[in-house]
Amino acid sequence: MCIVGGGSVGSVLAYFLHRSGVQEIPVYYASRESVVEVENQGGVVVVEKKSGVEYLVPVKPRHCSQPVDRCVFVLNTVKAIDVPHSLELVSKIACESGVVVMLQNGFGSLELAEEKLTGLKVACGVVYFASERISRTRVIYYGGDTLLVGCRKKPCEELSVLAEIFRRGGLDFRVVDNIDYYRWIKLAFNAVINPLTAITRSRNEIVLEEEGVRLAEMIIREVCEAARLHGYNLESTRLLKHVLRILEDSRENYSSMVQDILAGRSTEIDYINGFVARTLGERGVVNTVLTLVVKLLEKSRRRELKE
Ligand SMILES: NC(=O)c1ccc[n+]([C@@H]2O[C@H](COP(=O)([O-])OP(=O)(O)OC[C@H]3O[C@@H](n4cnc5c(N)ncnc54)[C@H](OP(=O)(O)O)[C@@H]3O)[C@@H](O)[C@H]2O)c1
């Protein structure tokens, strides 16, 4: 079992694997600095926010330029923007009969992996936990313990083995038939929370303000329209309630997009709101709230980079 991307999601998955008794967990990083720091510390520290308990997860750090493992399962947890580069490494370390699980938010990463990794089974994981990487060797795990996984192209019976391992470690790992349906639901959540918190540089609770809820309503209607064009009938009122419920539970969290913006990194907006805006744009639906949100976020980011 190998993890490509030792950031917040990769480290939390390593934590569950270790809790289930997996001893050897190779984790690949993009930078030499991460490899050295993780090596010096003897692994990554995952801090459980609720209990304050700290776990040292003794992962084996590897650099992406040195593919030394042969892995039956590869969990790809790099950011969407890094997926193209990561697939070269994945193709070198995955066994012929291996399964690659793509865990990025939004649309585009799974599709690219399915196109490029011919011959391998490619699954998608929809992550329902939240974590934040506060340094190269330290990750805060905020909570949530569900991971939905499924394959679209070929049947992946192998996923039941993975499910058993993760469940033993305490992760509610569920194999589902219709992973795209869950991707759309998660997309609605991300399309609301990420840009609204990023534009306002705020915690999730900002979206629960009256104006936030009204914008959320508009964005969700557009996501439902895009989903319908892809053959999924989502009910916007129910979806809004679902999103607001998650927001209530995660009031204090900073979304990954705020974290990216504050750290001056690229965001995944193109894979989330951008994907929906493009879907609607191709059908002649222009000037959507989503498009305006994407443009506003891009402008504010460009302005900050210049300053
Ligand atoms: N954070 C969350 O709570 C959460 C929840 C749900 C879904 N997601 C999604 O999960 C994905 C990963 O997010 P994250 O927050 O875990 O990212 P992250 O903390 O930024 O970590 C990304 C990791 O990928 C590594 N990496 C980049 N390019 C690589 C390559 N070519 N080969 C090997 N490793 C490479 C980086 O290495 P370095 O350390 O050397 O930079 C880093 O360790 C995103 O799509 C995000 O939307 C996140």
Side-chain angles (χ1 to χ4, degrees), residues 3-11 28-35 62-64 76-80 82-83 85-87 89 103-106 109 127-133 136 142 186 190 194 256 259-260 265 268 272:
I3 297 177
V4 172
S8 37
V9 172
S11 300
Y28 285 83
Y29 294 85
S31 65
R32 298 267 176 212
E33 290 85 346
S34 289
V35 174
R62 314 266 199 245
H63 189 255
C64 60
N76 187 324
T77 57
V78 304
K79 283 263 165 72
D82 294 317
V83 164
H85 186 230
S86 74
L87 293 181
L89 166 67
L103 291 128
Q104 292 68 33
N105 278 331
S109 306
V127 176
Y128 278 98
F129 59 73
S131 50
E132 181 183 350
R133 190 185 197 198
R136 291 181 192 276
Y142 288 110
K186 182 78 194 287
N190 288 129
N194 283 357
S256 57
Q259 292 168 37
D260 288 338
R265 296 187 294 255
E268 293 185 315
I272 301 170

Side-chain angles (χ1 to χ4, degrees), residues 160-216:
S160 59
V161 178
L162 208 52
E164 202 187 315
I165 298 171
F166 272 113
R167 283 201 205 123
R168 213 185 308 133
L171 182 68
D172 178 18
F173 186 114
R174 298 186 212 162
V175 181
V176 296
D177 286 337
N178 193 354
I179 192 69
D180 274 339
Y181 172 76
Y182 297 100
R183 290 173 83 202
W184 276 105
I185 294 191
K186 182 78 194 287
L187 186 79
F189 168 77
N190 288 129
V192 168
I193 293 178
N194 283 357
L196 297 186
T197 55
I199 289 169
T200 54
R201 272 69 169 160
S202 303
R203 293 178 196 269
N204 286 359
E205 62 191 359
I206 195 73
V207 186
L208 291 166
E209 296 292 333
E210 189 193 335
E211 297 78 5
V213 174
R214 284 173 60 190
L215 277 167

Side-chain angles (χ1 to χ4, degrees), residues 70-116:
R70 294 297 288 158
C71 327
V72 177
F73 293 106
V74 180
L75 309 175
N76 187 324
T77 57
V78 304
K79 283 263 165 72
I81 203 156
D82 294 317
V83 164
H85 186 230
S86 74
L87 293 181
E88 206 179 303
L89 166 67
V90 170
S91 66
K92 289 183 182 148
I93 59 175
C95 294
E96 253 171 52
S97 56
V99 180
V100 179
V101 186
M102 301 297 295
L103 291 128
Q104 292 68 33
N105 278 331
F107 280 68
S109 306
L110 171 68
E111 287 72 10
L112 186 69
E114 285 172 342
E115 184 196 320
K116 299 284 179 197

